[in-house]
Amino acid sequence: MNTYSVFVCESQPIVVEGLRRVLDSCPEFTLTGAVNSSVEVLVQVGALQPDIVLFDQCIGLKTAMQLIGEMRFLSPLSRGILWANDLGETESLRCLQAGARGIVKKTQPVSALLECLRSVAGGNLWLEHSMARSTAVVPGRRITPRFTPREREIVYHVCQGLKNKQIAEVLAITPGTVKVHLMHIFEKAGVRDRFDLALQGHKLLGSVPGDDALGSAAAPPA
């Protein structure tokens, strides 16, 4: 059995101790270190090279996303997980764009945290209950839908976290036109909504010149 090292940035010592006890009972994980401030995280992660790093949302969402992005240069094999208090779909998408491989709420049971750790350790993307969705393409759909050039542009901007109004401004079209294109895109891709579309964007688009539809390290839009 593979053993994965876990490092945590958490402000509350009692939470760290609880996490340590949980991981001590799981032979596949070991808590290799912990810090209680964002200032020390990158130094410790660079030195320890842990497999997984848990970031407490309490350090600030923007700070957590920045640290996750910077961590990839210091410890390329480390995978970041956001330990969130409350997070909407837009913020979740931006965290994934920053490089997070998992998002799990602190209000969830221990089993959910362990499921997240195991999934991310295995190289997968994990969201709480997969955000109550299946991200698989509906049977019968093409694996790579035949999008028009305009539809590809819209898929790309959805993956960057832009809303309909912002996409309309970038492409010099109306928000209504964007909405119509999205309806066609959802039908072709076999996805339920824009969040599912964003999660699958890199697979649906393939390589995008000059950028990756989901894995870009570029800063999310303000």
Side-chain angles (χ1 to χ4, degrees):
M1 176 183 294
N2 292 329
T3 300
Y4 300 98
S5 55
V6 178
F7 187 89
V8 60
C9 175
E10 166 58 54
S11 58
Q12 301 181 47
I14 193 169
V15 175
V16 175
E17 183 58 30
L19 178 63
R20 187 185 305 278
R21 294 186 180 185
V22 168
L23 297 185
D24 282 348
S25 67
C26 301
E28 70 264 47
F29 296 113
T30 178
L31 186 63
T32 190
V35 294
N36 59 13
S37 80
S38 59
V39 177
E40 306 172 63
V41 175
L42 295 182
V43 173
Q44 292 294 320
V45 168
L48 296 172
Q49 301 285 304
D51 296 305
I52 298 172
V53 183
L54 270 169
F55 291 90
D56 180 8
Q57 186 184 350
C58 289
I59 65 175
L61 187 58
K62 288 186 177 180
T63 299
M65 288 192 290
Q66 181 179 353
L67 291 172
I68 289 171
E70 293 177 358
M71 178 182 72
R72 293 188 294 178
F73 296 98
L74 295 172
S75 183
L77 298 181
S78 296
R79 305 178 182 101
I81 294 175
L82 182 67
W83 212 357
N85 297 314
D86 189 26
L87 210 62
E89 290 189 353
T90 299
E91 291 79 11
S92 296
L93 176 56
R94 290 183 176 182
C95 288
L96 298 178
Q97 291 168 346
R101 302 305 299 163
I103 301 171
V104 61
K105 291 182 181 179
K106 283 190 169 182
T107 54
Q108 289 299 299
V110 170
S111 59
L113 174 61
L114 292 177
E115 181 184 344
C116 177
L117 290 173
R118 290 181 179 118
S119 182
V120 171
N124 301 310
L125 185 70
W126 195 94
L127 299 176
E128 182 182 327
H129 302 305
S130 296
M131 300 304 286
R133 297 176 171 89
S134 168
T135 57
V137 175
V138 173
R141 304 292 185 192
R142 295 186 181 91
I143 295 177
T144 305
R146 291 185 178 178
F147 294 133
T148 66
R150 177 64 84 194
E151 288 169 348
R152 290 179 62 82
E153 289 178 319
I154 291 174
V155 172
Y156 173 77
H157 289 303
V158 168
C159 290
Q160 294 302 305
L162 272 64
K163 298 179 180 179
N164 286 5
K165 184 177 179 180
Q166 294 171 309
I167 295 173
E169 291 174 354
V170 171
L171 300 180
I173 57 180
T174 68
T177 301
V178 174
K179 186 175 181 179
V180 171
H181 280 303
L182 280 172
M183 290 173 62
H184 295 157
I185 289 166
F186 294 161
E187 175 65 22
K188 289 182 179 182
V191 297
R192 294 176 176 84
D193 54 32
R194 67 191 303 121
F195 192 68
D196 279 346
L197 178 63
L199 287 177
Q200 296 192 57
H202 63 300
K203 294 180 181 179
L204 296 171
L205 288 179
S207 61
V208 178
D211 204 348
D212 181 274
L214 187 57
S216 171

